[in-house]
Amino acid sequence: MTHPPTIVIDDTTLRDGEQSAGVAFNDAERVAIARGLDELGVPELEVGIPSMGDEECDSIRMLAGLGLNARLLVWSRMRTDDLKSCAHLGVDMVDLSIPVSDQQITRKLGRTREWVLECIRRHVAEARELGLEVGVGGEDASRADVDFLARVMETAQQAGARRFRFADTVGILEPFTVLERLRRLRATSDLEIEMHAHDDLGLATANSLAAALGGATHVNTTVNGIGERAGNAALEEVVLGLRQLHGIDTGVDLRRFQTLSHLVETATGHPIHWQKSLVGEGVFTHEAGIHVDGLLKDPANYQGVDPAELGREHRLVLGKHSGSSAVIQAYARLGITLGRAEATLLLSRIRSAASRTKRAPTERELALWYQELDSLAAAPISTAHHALT
Ligand SMILES: CC(=O)SCCNC(=O)CCNC(=O)[C@H](O)C(C)(C)COP(=O)(O)OP(=O)(O)OC[C@H]1O[C@@H](n2cnc3c(N)ncnc32)[C@H](O)[C@@H]1OP(=O)(O)O
Ligand SMILES: O=C(O)CCC(=O)C(=O)O
């Protein structure tokens, strides 16, 4: 079976994302996040865990009532009572999860592989009877025996599931292994395969991209990469990575992503790191002289990712590592034309100030230093340099 170069994003910000320790979205935030994802064109959203109780079910019902374009999924354990709580919520699909590694089958559930297969037969059929489409969530699939995973998938398909979720629950895989495992599973089954990666080793996005190359049809993501422990694969990284590196389309448009990213950041209460890829405040900010000079000549000189893809822009700042081109450009923005010699004199002042204050100079400071330049320029260079610092 061949697959076109598309991947369906199943965003789990409202399920695994909310499992980030200390995070609890209120209804208004859940609605805003769901709408935000829908507006970007994310086709599937995993929106909660009905067995958590009435409040969670009400919130899921509320999201289902929004009339979003996205298909909605809920997460459930393989238990009849849990499954019943997933019915009549207005969602399309359930991710029916079961541990598949011997570690978790024996040491968490106290069961056997045969018990797991029997559970899949019984509960997938129950879910289908409730009118739900079913994905079987293979919890801890990354530590499971691959031949057993093939049996899990075969059993799931025979019972009426359409999807298998390959979960790297503890975040221990790397892309080469993911590629090899996914290729193997792809060769044995026609089921949709969804990659669910965690970022414990900083490899969630790389593993998700590898899964796409290995034959996954779906990828789980979260906004800003939030989620259990170190988080999940970041929506923005996966979407951009798939397109830019592999020419794989997801139909998700990130040009208005910043609004959603900020919304999720605020709702979690955990600030995004300044240098977090794609969404961090500082990731399109440049100080180093050679880089700024290169960017001013042609942005392609130092641009791996076009900030416009995310509705952002390059920002040039002055600091300890600036060069004279950056100084000339900064003063030009103030309407002041500098010669190279003046720029060099001012650069020395900018460097020492930035080292002392650990910040870029303000426009007011730049203007002041420029006014002082005349008197300094008259002095011998060594004296001028001393006076400026
Ligand atoms: C890897 C993941 O992210 S899985 C999703 C994890 N998410 C969450 O846990 C968040 C929401 N969780 C909850 O609200 C609660 O844990 C509930 C409602 C699901 C369950 O609560 P409780 O019934 O009080 O159980 P508790 O959380 O203490 O323990 C989990 C139980 O589920 C069992 N279990 C765990 N996974 C599964 C599964 N996939 N299928 C069936 N049973 C399971 C455990 O063995 C344990 O049962 P035991 O006490 O008989 O050994
Ligand atoms: O079984 C699943 O659906 C995956 C659950 C999950 O979030 C994980 O394993 O990290």
Side-chain angles (χ1 to χ4, degrees):
M1 182 173 170
T2 55
H3 291 277
T6 58
I7 284 286
V8 177
I9 298 291
D10 173 3
D11 187 89
T12 182
T13 302
L14 293 172
R15 199 279 294 173
D16 206 330
E18 203 189 33
Q19 280 178 217
S20 310
V23 171
F25 300 133
N26 61 35
D27 277 351
E29 289 162 345
R30 287 170 69 76
V31 168
I33 292 167
R35 279 198 206 281
L37 287 163
D38 195 51
E39 278 162 19
L40 298 178
V42 177
E44 291 193 355
L45 310 180
E46 188 174 44
V47 292
I49 304 178
S51 64
M52 286 173 67
D54 290 345
E55 259 186 53
E56 180 83 350
C57 288
D58 289 346
S59 159
I60 292 166
R61 244 185 239 104
M62 178 187 63
L63 297 179
L66 295 175
L68 303 176
N69 292 316
R71 286 159 52 77
L72 302 187
L73 291 85
V74 287
W75 186 94
S76 174
R77 291 180 297 183
M78 285 232 184
R79 289 170 48 131
T80 305
D81 50 351
D82 281 19
L83 197 41
K84 279 190 179 144
S85 63
C86 302
H88 313 299
L89 296 176
V91 299
D92 305 285
M93 187 162 170
V94 60
D95 178 87
L96 208 40
S97 175
I98 189 86
V100 288
S101 66
D102 289 337
Q103 166 68 37
Q104 289 204 358
I105 294 171
T106 58
R107 303 286 299 158
K108 188 177 87 156
L109 299 179
R111 301 288 186 172
T112 62
R113 290 185 183 186
E114 283 310 317
W115 181 87
V116 167
L117 296 178
E118 187 44 41
C119 257
I120 293 171
R121 279 182 208 108
R122 186 166 65 248
H123 296 300
V124 171
E126 277 174 3
R128 298 295 291 134
E129 276 163 26
L130 291 171
L132 292 162
E133 294 191 70
V134 181
V136 166
E139 189 184 352
D140 209 18
S142 50
R143 290 192 293 180
D145 170 37
V146 187
D147 291 331
F148 180 61
L149 287 185
R151 286 184 70 202
V152 164
M153 290 176 75
E154 188 186 7
T155 308
Q157 188 163 22
Q158 282 167 0
R162 58 178 286 174
R163 187 179 304 173
F164 175 70
R165 177 180 285 174
F166 182 99
D168 183 14
T169 301
V170 290
I172 40 101
L173 287 186
E174 49 77 39
F176 299 103
T177 309
V178 172
L179 183 65
E180 185 239 304
R181 298 256 175 101
L182 268 284
R183 275 189 178 151
R184 223 172 125 188
L185 295 175
R186 180 71 291 156
T188 64
S189 174
D190 280 342
L191 282 182
E192 296 172 344
I193 303 180
E194 180 165 87
M195 182 67 192
H196 178 96
H198 278 280
D199 209 31
D200 300 69
L201 289 167
L203 291 169
T205 297
N207 288 339
S208 301
L209 299 196
L213 292 189
T217 51
H218 293 65
V219 172
N220 271 162
T221 61
T222 58
V223 174
N224 301 336
I226 64 170
E228 191 84 35
R229 305 182 310 278
N232 290 86
L235 169 66
E236 60 280 10
E237 294 175 6
V238 170
V239 167
L240 215 52
L242 284 173
R243 186 165 70 236
Q244 183 164 322
L245 302 174
H246 300 314
I248 296 175
D249 185 39
T250 60
V252 177
D253 183 350
L254 293 172
R255 281 172 300 180
R256 281 176 293 140
F257 182 69
Q258 267 202 296
T259 308
L260 180 61
S261 169
H262 288 148
L263 169 71
V264 171
E265 178 186 26
T266 308
T268 59
H270 299 311
I272 295 174
H273 192 279
W274 195 77
Q275 286 183 305
K276 169 91 173 73
S277 60
L278 306 181
V279 290
E281 178 70 25
V283 297
F284 296 111
T285 300
H286 314 266
E287 176 192 308
I290 290 168
H291 291 236
V292 172
D293 172 65
L295 280 161
L296 289 169
K297 288 171 177 158
D298 178 353
N301 283 327
Y302 283 102
Q303 178 178 283
V305 171
D306 183 351
E309 296 263 16
L310 295 134
R312 302 187 64 182
E313 291 176 337
H314 290 289
R315 194 170 145 246
L316 307 179
V317 296
L318 293 171
K320 179 183 171 186
H321 306 93
S322 291
S324 54
S325 301
V327 177
I328 290 169
Q329 191 262 0
Y331 275 94
R333 281 204 309 261
L334 300 179
I336 299 168
T337 306
L338 293 183
R340 280 275 158 192
E342 289 173 309
T344 305
L345 274 176
L346 285 162
L347 178 57
S348 161
R349 176 109 194 214
I350 289 162
R351 280 203 173 134
S352 60
S355 299
R356 205 173 55 250
T357 61
K358 297 185 188 293
R359 62 165 174 81
T362 63
E363 289 190 352
R364 206 163 156 269
E365 286 167 331
L366 289 179
L368 186 70
W369 296 339
Y370 179 72
Q371 280 165 19
E372 290 170 2
L373 198 57
D374 271 355
S375 55
L376 293 166
I381 288 286
S382 58
T383 324
H385 181 264
H386 181 71
L388 281 166
T389 54

